[in-house]
């Protein structure tokens, strides 16, 4: 069945005007209706898929309904001038775009729509009416006619009409006859409202039946109102009835929905009304590649033209660069092509390895390598350059250029909490809709299968928008942050590439044996849990675990979650440890099962697929708001460090033959940052005298240091860094809130400057909306639009962001300096927050550890000394 979409045009225009009322161009010209209409047209193909499209127009002057009742629509307030002046523009747009429209003298658009519906009754055509007018709901007929609201985006069939108005489509006229319609000045029966009308129609079906059975109306008031309003009732029904006898037999001719983009025919109007977003959307569509809607995307398949473009590049030339590949895994992805852009007018795409039937001539690998070598002599700008550099290195063997800038890093420095991917950034900075990868590449295929002309627009746009990003940040990023990018963040890309390429060796045989043991242990734990529960159940099902613990065993439960079951997460289970022996077994089972499925199996498969049994992770420079590196695919920073199985598992990661692992870990760096920023004399003194800071804190709070008091002091020292309050301390230590509060108060009585520092940070964060780290990186907090709960969270995060962020700054600086010592005999293989792990030739270990430790401890000058702890071992599990 084909679909015909009919638009109740003027009613639709009015809605557009009032939905965006006040929208104007820079010269003050009203543009709300034109803007709304243009966006509607843009969404037609996706939102209103149709085979035919017709705009139904009201005729000028009075209609036959004015003859029936001179008061019909007489109460309408004249439209404002800014609305009236836009209607002819929108009508002109309909005509220029080639859409079919229709009007009949003396009749309304509703009558045209009703006549078209009648005309299509015997045709295999479904009619969708776009309107907000309730009169037209009488036309709804399941499987043949629906009403679509452009405001609510709802599609109304018979059931939806009944839900909305309480009556069937066939009763809409009777409904309006009873309760009237103030918008059209249809009087209805005075005193009968929507609820009363629905009640009457539920009982009697229609207006005629109501009056035929008036004596049966039980409500005396309604009966009297109906008697008094009988004339108006039937007059109103006549006014609400649609005339469907107009000759519309030829309207479908020429109303076919065209494939080409209609808005391309009204670009002059879009430009006149400054509808830049719509223009950008048009530009992003590959089908519009030949239209002059912005920058020019050019396909380069001639090597002479390519080298002509790249002649004369030097280190001062800014050139945006991007690669297109067969996948995201840089170890295996093949280059398909590359794009570049040197100004905001033209961008170029160079295809190398597209592979589909009938693909035209492309640039050879040899020529591409020469071209990229020339590009690398310039100032290269990219978005996520780490990826592009790795692709070029792996495909062509070319090392990094001397001068480069990464706009993803610049965006992250501008606001580390915002999304920095290309699509989101283009939208946020320029209100620019980029062409999405998914719209070009079919599922299961790669960019190599994309037609060259479409690929050229997509890839060229990447280079074009990257150049736009860079020019924007040059103007809008503060100089200290630009300097930080240049001196620290951009050079750090090399460190990350080194880190990712080195990888970590896994003893696959040892891990396989360990997994066999784990399997036996998991089975044994399962049997113990079944025995303690008194029945067998799915241990991996939170609901079944919840039923066992809280229903069958009657253990104390917390609040129910959204799914209606009590939580059985790790926090809950730890609080129940002393309640039943099954809890310890469940925790052990979960730890081991997670280790097996999340870390053992996936990492073993990765190692087995590498000739050197090494595992390679991706490290994200812009992945956190605090500045710490994050790791993914796989996440090697999240390998379990504690628990009864962690050491055995980590022992499967081994140094290669003749090498050892070296761990260098900053000791209590965030507490040292706290001493530096707060300038607390006691804290500074404790670090200066190389005291056990937790023991010192225990003595200050409790008068003595033993295992128990030192543990509490340690919880307080580290907890306060993360904004912990006395309630959290109470839960963590399982003590009364009053006692936890006393501990924290005692802490602040001794470290007096720390409390005032915390308060000052919170005040400054609220005042400025951001905090700064040691190197001047900013993290923003939107206190202005935050709830009380969110504001409290921001205050906690503001302190931690300074301390953790500054610690991240320091280890980044140290890594850059240590990188100068590294080579094939000394390699950085992991960074886990405040710890660096190296793989170093045995005979070089002690000397390297001393040099690297010295760099880490002296990389910055603080009010306290930085301290590292070091460890050397043959496997990760033995590192301390």
């Amino acid at each position: 069945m084909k679909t015909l979409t009919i638009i109740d045009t003027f009613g639709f225009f009015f809605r557009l005007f009032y939905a965006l009322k006040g929208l104007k161009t820079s010269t003050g010209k009203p543009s709300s209706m034109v803007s709304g209409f243009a966006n509607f047209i843009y969404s037609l193909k996706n939102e209103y898929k149709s085979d035919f499209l017709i705009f139904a127009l009201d005729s000028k002057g009075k209609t036959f309904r004015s003859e029936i009742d001179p008061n019909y629509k007489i109460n309408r307030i004249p439209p404002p001038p800014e609305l009236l002046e836009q209607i002819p523009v929108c009508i002109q747009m309909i005509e220029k775009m080639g859409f079919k429209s229709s009007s009949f003298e003396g009749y309304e658009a509703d009558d045209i729509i009703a006549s078209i519906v009648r005309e299509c009754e015997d045709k295999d055509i479904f009619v969708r009416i776009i309107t907000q007018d309730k009169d037209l709901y009488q036309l709804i007929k399941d499987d043949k006619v629906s009403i679509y609201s452009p405001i609510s985006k709802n599609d109304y069939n018979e059931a939806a009409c009944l839900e909305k108005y309480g009556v069937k489509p066939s009763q809409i006229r009777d409904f309006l006859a009873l309760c009237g319609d103030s918008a059209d000045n249809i009087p209805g029966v005075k005193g009968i409202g929507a609820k009363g009308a629905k009640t009457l129609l539920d009982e009697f079906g229609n207006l005629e039946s109501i009056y035929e059975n008036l004596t049966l109306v039980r409500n005396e008031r309604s009966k009297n109102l109906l008697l008094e309003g009988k004339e108006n009732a039937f007059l109103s029904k006549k006014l609400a009835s649609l005339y469907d006898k107009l000759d519309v037999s030829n309207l479908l001719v020429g109303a076919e929905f065209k494939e080409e983009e209609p808005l391309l025919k009204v670009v002059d109007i879009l430009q006149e009304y400054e509808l830049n977003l719509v223009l950008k959307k048009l530009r992003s569509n590959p089908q519009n590649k030949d239209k002059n809607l912005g920058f020019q995307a050019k396909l380069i398949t001639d090597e002479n033209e390519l080298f002509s473009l790249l002649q004369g590049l030097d280190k001062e030339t800014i050139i945006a660069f991007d690669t297109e590949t067969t996948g995201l895994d840089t170890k295996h992805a093949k280059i398909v092509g590359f794009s570049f852009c040197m100004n905001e007018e033209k961008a170029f795409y160079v295809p190398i390895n597209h592979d589909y039937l009938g693909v035209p001539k492309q640039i050879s690998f040899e020529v591409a390598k020469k071209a990229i070598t020339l590009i690398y002599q310039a100032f290269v700008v990219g978005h996520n350059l780490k990826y592009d550099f790795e692709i070029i290195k792996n495909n062509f063997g070319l090392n990094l250029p001397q001068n480069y800038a990464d706009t993803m890093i610049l965006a992250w420095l501008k606001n580390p909490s915002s999304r920095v991917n290309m699509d989101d950034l283009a939208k946020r900075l320029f209100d620019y809709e980029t062409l999405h990868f998914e719209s070009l590449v079919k599922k299961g295929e790669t960019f190599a299968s994309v037609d060259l002309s479409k690929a050229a627009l997509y890839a060229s746009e990447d280079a074009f928008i990257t150049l736009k990003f860079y020019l924007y940040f040059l103007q809008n990023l503060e100089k200290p942050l630009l300097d930080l990018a240049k001196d620290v963040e951009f050079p750090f890309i090399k460190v990350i590439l080194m880190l990712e390429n080195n990888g970590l060796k896994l003893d696959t045989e040892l891990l396989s044996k360990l997994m066999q043991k784990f399997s036996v242990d998991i089975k044994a734990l399962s049997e113990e849990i079944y025995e303690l529960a008194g029945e067998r159940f799915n241990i991996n099902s939170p609901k079944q675990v919840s039923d066992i613990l809280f229903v069958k065993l009657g253990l104390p439960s917390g609040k129910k979650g959204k799914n209606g079951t009590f939580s059985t997460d790790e926090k809950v289970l730890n609080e129940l440890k002393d309640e039943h022996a099954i809890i310890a077994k469940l925790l052990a089972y979960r730890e081991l099962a997670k280790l097996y499925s999340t870390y053992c199996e996936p990492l073993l498969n990765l190692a087995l697929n590498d000739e050197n049994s090494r595992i390679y992770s991706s490290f994200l420079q812009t992945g956190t708001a605090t500045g710490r590196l994050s790791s993914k695919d796989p996440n090697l920073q999240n390998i379990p460090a504690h628990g009864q199985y962690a050491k055995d598992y980590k022992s499967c990661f081994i140094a290669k033959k003749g090498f050892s692992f070296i761990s260098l870990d900053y000791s209590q760096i965030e507490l040292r940052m706290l001493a530096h920023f707060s300038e607390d004399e006691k804290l500074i003194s404790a670090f200066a005298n190389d005291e056990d800071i937790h023991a010192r804190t225990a003595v200050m709070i409790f008068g003595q240091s033993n295992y128990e008091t030192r543990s509490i002091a340690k919880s307080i020292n580290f907890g306060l860094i993360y904004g912990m309050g006395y309630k959290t301390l109470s839960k963590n230590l399982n003590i009364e809130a009053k006692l936890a509060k006393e501990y924290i108060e005692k802490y602040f009585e001794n470290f007096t400057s720390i409390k005032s520092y915390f308060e000052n940070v919170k005040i400054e964060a609220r005042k400025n909306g951001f905090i700064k780290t040691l190197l001047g990186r900013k993290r923003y907090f939107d206190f202005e639009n935050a709830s009380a709960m969110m504001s409290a969270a921001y205050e906690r995060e503001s302190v931690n962001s300074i301390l953790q962020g500054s610690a991240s700054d320091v280890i980044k600086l140290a890594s850059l300096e240590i990188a100068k010592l590294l080579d094939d005999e000394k390699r950085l293989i992991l960074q886990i927050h405040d710890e660096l792990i190296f793989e170093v030739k045995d005979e070089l270990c002690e000397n390297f550890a001393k040099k690297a430790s010295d760099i880490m401890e002296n990389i910055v000058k603080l009010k306290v000394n930085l301290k590292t702890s070091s460890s050397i071992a043959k496997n990760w599990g033995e590192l301390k």
Side-chain angles (χ1 to χ4, degrees):
M1 182 178 283
K2 292 189 175 181
T3 298
L4 162 64
T5 295
I6 314 174
I7 298 165
D8 178 16
T9 309
F10 290 127
F12 180 50
F13 284 168
F14 276 51
R15 294 284 178 179
L16 292 175
F17 174 81
Y18 286 107
L20 299 165
K21 191 177 179 182
L23 199 63
K24 295 181 179 180
T25 67
S26 59
T27 60
K29 185 188 296 184
S31 60
S32 55
M33 187 190 297
V34 179
S35 175
F37 188 48
N39 278 290
F40 167 77
I41 295 297
Y42 184 80
S43 65
L44 272 174
K45 286 184 182 177
N46 295 322
E47 199 169 332
Y48 313 92
K49 291 187 182 299
S50 305
D51 299 286
F52 303 92
L53 179 67
I54 297 173
F55 287 83
L57 306 173
D58 291 323
S59 64
K60 294 179 181 179
K62 294 185 177 183
T63 68
F64 74 92
R65 289 182 181 83
S66 301
E67 295 175 7
I68 296 172
D69 181 7
N71 295 316
Y72 180 67
K73 292 190 178 182
I74 201 169
N75 64 333
R76 287 197 170 178
I77 300 169
E82 55 265 39
L83 183 153
L84 292 174
E85 72 180 72
Q86 292 180 73
I87 288 179
V89 180
C90 291
I91 298 296
Q92 182 188 10
M93 289 174 71
I94 292 173
E95 293 170 355
K96 290 185 73 172
M97 290 185 289
F99 289 126
K100 192 72 175 277
S101 64
S102 176
S103 67
F104 283 78
E105 188 175 345
Y107 293 91
E108 298 180 57
D110 294 6
D111 304 311
I112 298 171
I113 294 169
S115 299
I116 294 173
V117 168
R118 179 189 52 77
E119 180 72 15
C120 294
E121 274 180 356
D122 300 323
K123 294 182 171 63
D124 191 28
I125 294 176
F126 180 83
V127 180
R128 180 198 293 117
I129 304 165
I130 297 179
T131 185
Q132 288 291 112
D133 190 345
K134 66 170 86 64
D135 294 13
L136 289 165
Y137 279 68
Q138 63 190 273
L139 298 174
I140 292 174
K141 187 177 181 182
D142 282 354
D143 302 321
K144 286 297 289 183
V145 184
S146 74
I147 297 285
Y148 185 90
S149 167
I151 305 301
S152 68
K153 307 291 185 187
N154 289 327
D155 209 2
Y156 292 91
N157 57 11
E158 291 185 21
C161 175
L162 182 61
E163 184 179 345
K164 183 178 175 70
Y165 291 112
V167 296
K168 301 171 186 174
S170 59
Q171 296 174 311
I172 286 289
R173 291 183 305 159
D174 305 279
F175 178 72
L176 294 172
L178 290 166
C179 61
D181 186 353
S182 59
D184 291 343
N185 210 27
I186 295 176
V189 176
K190 188 177 181 181
I192 301 288
K195 188 176 179 182
K198 177 186 177 303
T199 302
L200 288 165
L201 291 172
D202 279 349
E203 188 170 356
F204 300 102
N206 59 43
L207 188 68
E208 288 76 10
S209 182
I210 291 170
Y211 278 98
E212 286 168 8
N213 299 281
L214 202 56
T215 56
L216 300 179
V217 174
R218 288 185 289 272
N219 187 302
E220 283 298 315
R221 179 179 178 274
S222 295
K223 187 187 297 183
N224 291 330
L225 290 171
L226 286 165
L227 273 169
E228 292 171 13
K230 182 175 181 180
E231 187 178 340
N232 274 346
F234 285 94
L235 170 69
S236 298
K237 183 164 183 177
K238 194 177 286 188
L239 292 172
S241 298
L242 303 179
Y243 183 79
D244 64 359
K245 303 294 191 296
L246 296 173
D247 183 8
V248 292
S249 55
N250 292 322
L251 273 186
L252 288 180
V253 179
E256 294 84 4
F257 198 93
K258 312 288 192 302
E259 278 301 310
E260 60 265 30
E261 176 57 64
L263 286 171
L264 294 175
K265 297 176 182 177
V266 291
V267 167
D268 56 337
I269 295 175
L270 302 181
Q271 290 171 338
E272 180 185 346
Y273 281 83
E274 300 175 358
L275 304 182
N276 297 323
L277 179 57
V278 177
L279 287 165
K280 287 167 187 173
K281 287 177 181 177
L282 293 175
R283 181 168 55 231
S284 70
N285 191 326
Q287 294 178 355
N288 305 332
K289 62 183 183 296
D290 297 323
K291 308 299 178 182
N292 185 22
L293 297 171
F295 80 99
Q296 182 186 348
K298 187 163 175 53
L299 180 69
I300 304 295
T301 56
D302 180 81
E303 64 181 87
N304 292 324
E305 184 179 8
L306 175 60
F307 289 123
S308 175
L309 287 166
L310 299 176
Q311 251 185 352
L313 294 181
D314 58 35
K315 64 181 182 179
E316 302 299 325
T317 307
I318 297 171
I319 183 166
F321 176 74
D322 188 54
T323 59
E324 302 301 337
T325 66
T326 56
L328 296 176
D329 180 1
T330 55
K331 294 283 182 295
H332 304 102
K334 301 296 181 187
I335 191 164
V336 175
F338 65 90
S339 56
F340 61 93
C341 179
M342 291 176 279
N343 58 51
E344 295 179 79
E345 296 172 3
K346 290 182 181 179
F348 307 92
Y349 178 60
V350 181
I352 304 169
N353 195 29
H354 284 261
D355 183 20
Y356 58 86
L357 189 64
V359 64
K361 172 197 167 189
Q362 301 176 70
I363 295 295
S364 69
F365 267 75
E366 294 73 23
V367 169
K369 182 176 181 178
K370 289 178 185 176
I372 295 169
T373 302
L374 289 175
I375 289 172
Y376 270 23
Q377 292 174 9
F379 186 92
V380 177
V381 176
H383 198 76
N384 190 18
L385 274 175
K386 175 171 73 77
Y387 177 85
D388 298 300
F389 286 162
E390 187 74 355
I391 289 295
I392 298 303
K393 174 73 175 174
N394 291 344
N395 282 265
F396 297 108
L398 297 175
N399 292 320
L400 277 64
Q402 190 71 28
N403 303 300
Y404 58 86
D406 192 323
T407 53
M408 188 166 77
I409 291 172
L410 293 174
W412 175 71
L413 288 172
K414 179 76 173 167
N415 189 342
S417 298
S418 294
R419 296 170 68 90
V420 294
N421 64 76
M422 185 176 285
D423 295 342
D424 285 331
L425 192 59
K427 179 72 175 169
R428 190 165 72 246
L429 296 187
F430 310 125
D431 201 17
Y432 183 103
E433 291 280 349
T434 53
L435 185 61
H436 289 231
F437 181 84
E438 295 77 16
S439 67
L440 290 179
V441 183
K442 295 176 183 176
K443 196 172 181 180
E445 296 184 352
T446 73
F447 200 79
S449 64
V450 177
D451 176 82
L452 290 193
S453 59
K454 292 181 180 179
L457 182 68
Y458 173 85
S460 297
E461 182 187 64
D462 283 354
F464 161 74
I465 202 68
T466 298
L467 182 63
K468 293 272 289 182
F469 289 159
Y470 183 66
L471 297 176
Y472 170 86
F473 288 121
L474 283 183
Q475 294 295 320
N476 293 280
L477 193 61
E478 300 155 44
K479 189 176 186 303
L481 290 175
L482 282 171
D483 291 340
L484 179 64
K486 178 185 173 185
D487 299 335
V488 178
E489 299 295 346
F490 295 160
F492 195 66
I493 293 173
K494 295 179 183 177
V495 176
I496 298 177
L497 284 170
M498 189 166 46
L499 191 60
E500 292 182 346
N501 284 320
N502 289 335
L504 188 62
K505 185 176 175 64
L506 185 69
D507 187 331
T508 55
E509 189 177 337
L510 182 59
L511 181 56
S512 296
K513 289 178 181 177
L514 186 62
M515 287 171 67
Q516 290 174 8
K517 179 182 180 301
F518 284 171
S519 292
V520 173
D521 290 349
I522 288 170
K523 190 173 181 182
L525 280 167
S526 300
E527 293 301 326
E528 290 180 75
I529 291 168
Y530 297 147
E531 187 175 341
L532 288 165
E535 65 177 88
R536 303 181 83 82
F537 63 99
N538 183 356
I539 304 173
N540 298 314
S541 165
K543 184 180 186 309
Q544 291 188 36
V545 172
S546 177
D547 289 342
I548 291 291
L549 298 185
F550 305 124
V551 179
K552 183 172 183 181
L553 299 179
L555 300 182
S557 58
K559 292 181 180 179
K560 284 188 177 181
K562 291 180 180 178
N563 59 359
T565 60
F566 294 108
S567 172
T568 60
D569 63 18
E570 187 178 355
K571 184 181 177 184
V572 170
L573 293 186
N574 276 314
E575 290 174 356
L576 295 172
K577 262 186 178 179
D578 299 330
E579 300 289 338
H580 198 286
I582 197 173
I583 302 298
K585 298 298 179 184
L586 280 170
L587 285 167
Y589 172 89
R590 285 187 179 179
E591 180 189 347
L592 192 52
K594 181 179 179 182
L595 185 60
Y596 190 96
S597 62
T598 306
Y599 299 106
C600 292
E601 283 184 322
L603 270 63
L604 178 62
N605 290 332
L606 288 172
L608 290 172
N609 288 325
D610 183 77
E611 59 181 354
N612 298 311
S613 300
R614 296 186 82 88
I615 293 166
Y616 305 91
S617 176
S618 292
F619 290 87
L620 308 179
Q621 193 170 348
T622 60
T624 67
T626 59
R628 279 181 166 178
L629 276 189
S630 59
S631 165
K632 68 170 189 174
D633 302 329
N635 184 353
L636 294 179
Q637 294 179 332
N638 210 29
I639 299 294
H642 307 290
Q644 57 181 315
Y645 310 105
K647 185 174 180 180
D648 287 344
Y649 173 69
K650 290 176 79 172
S651 295
C652 296
F653 294 89
I654 59 172
K656 74 178 200 176
K657 190 175 180 181
F659 285 68
S660 295
F661 287 152
I662 300 176
S663 165
L664 291 170
D665 191 4
Y666 274 116
S667 174
Q668 300 169 340
I669 188 170
E670 289 171 9
L671 282 173
R672 292 173 192 270
M673 286 296 169
L674 178 58
H676 171 76
F677 284 112
S678 70
E679 300 182 343
D680 186 272
E681 291 181 6
K682 289 182 181 177
L683 197 55
I684 289 173
S685 172
F687 281 125
N689 296 325
D690 203 20
E691 294 180 41
D692 179 336
I693 191 65
H694 303 312
R696 171 77 177 267
T697 303
V699 171
M700 287 180 168
I701 296 175
F702 303 104
Q704 62 175 323
S705 175
N706 53 42
Y707 177 80
E708 184 181 352
T709 59
R710 186 184 181 279
S711 294
I712 294 172
K714 185 176 181 180
S715 294
I716 295 172
N717 276 328
F718 285 122
L720 290 176
I721 291 172
Y722 290 93
M724 176 189 68
Y726 72 89
K727 290 180 181 177
T728 304
L729 181 64
S730 167
K731 285 184 180 178
N732 291 348
L733 299 179
N734 197 23
I735 59 175
E736 288 184 7
K738 182 182 177 183
L739 192 57
K741 192 173 184 180
E742 287 176 9
Y743 289 167
I744 291 178
E745 286 173 352
K746 194 82 172 178
Y747 178 93
F748 283 133
E749 283 173 14
N750 283 278
F751 297 111
T752 52
S753 300
I754 292 177
K755 185 171 186 178
S756 59
Y757 170 69
F758 283 171
E759 291 306 315
N760 288 335
V761 168
K762 292 171 185 177
I763 290 168
E764 287 297 305
R766 276 188 173 275
K767 177 184 172 185
N768 301 322
F770 62 83
I771 56 88
K772 280 187 180 181
T773 67
L774 189 71
L775 293 185
R777 282 188 301 106
K778 290 183 177 181
R779 183 176 181 186
Y780 291 87
F781 300 100
D782 186 11
F783 282 101
E784 193 173 326
N785 298 306
S787 64
M789 186 181 290
M790 188 59 73
S791 290
Y794 286 164
E795 286 185 346
R796 291 193 297 271
E797 289 175 29
S798 63
V799 173
N800 177 247
S801 294
I802 293 175
L803 304 179
Q804 193 180 102
S806 297
S808 302
D809 289 346
V810 169
I811 200 163
K812 196 170 282 182
L813 290 173
S815 299
L816 283 167
E817 193 62 28
I818 293 171
K820 297 173 184 176
L821 306 176
L822 301 178
D823 52 33
D824 287 342
E825 296 182 335
K826 305 180 289 291
R827 303 190 296 180
L828 177 64
I829 58 170
L830 266 182
Q831 181 191 326
I832 305 175
H833 308 320
D834 306 325
E835 178 187 17
L836 298 175
I837 300 178
F838 302 87
E839 190 175 41
V840 179
K841 205 164 188 180
D842 288 334
E843 57 268 31
L844 304 175
C845 282
E846 286 192 21
N847 186 44
F848 175 78
K850 185 177 181 307
K851 282 185 178 179
S853 181
D854 187 59
I855 289 171
M856 290 176 72
E857 292 178 355
N858 295 285
I859 195 65
V860 292
K861 187 69 176 171
L862 302 176
K863 295 180 177 70
V864 292
N865 293 329
L866 290 172
K867 187 178 179 182
T868 58
S869 58
S870 64
S871 174
I872 301 175
K874 285 291 182 179
N875 66 66
W876 194 359
E878 296 297 328
L879 288 175
K880 296 174 186 174

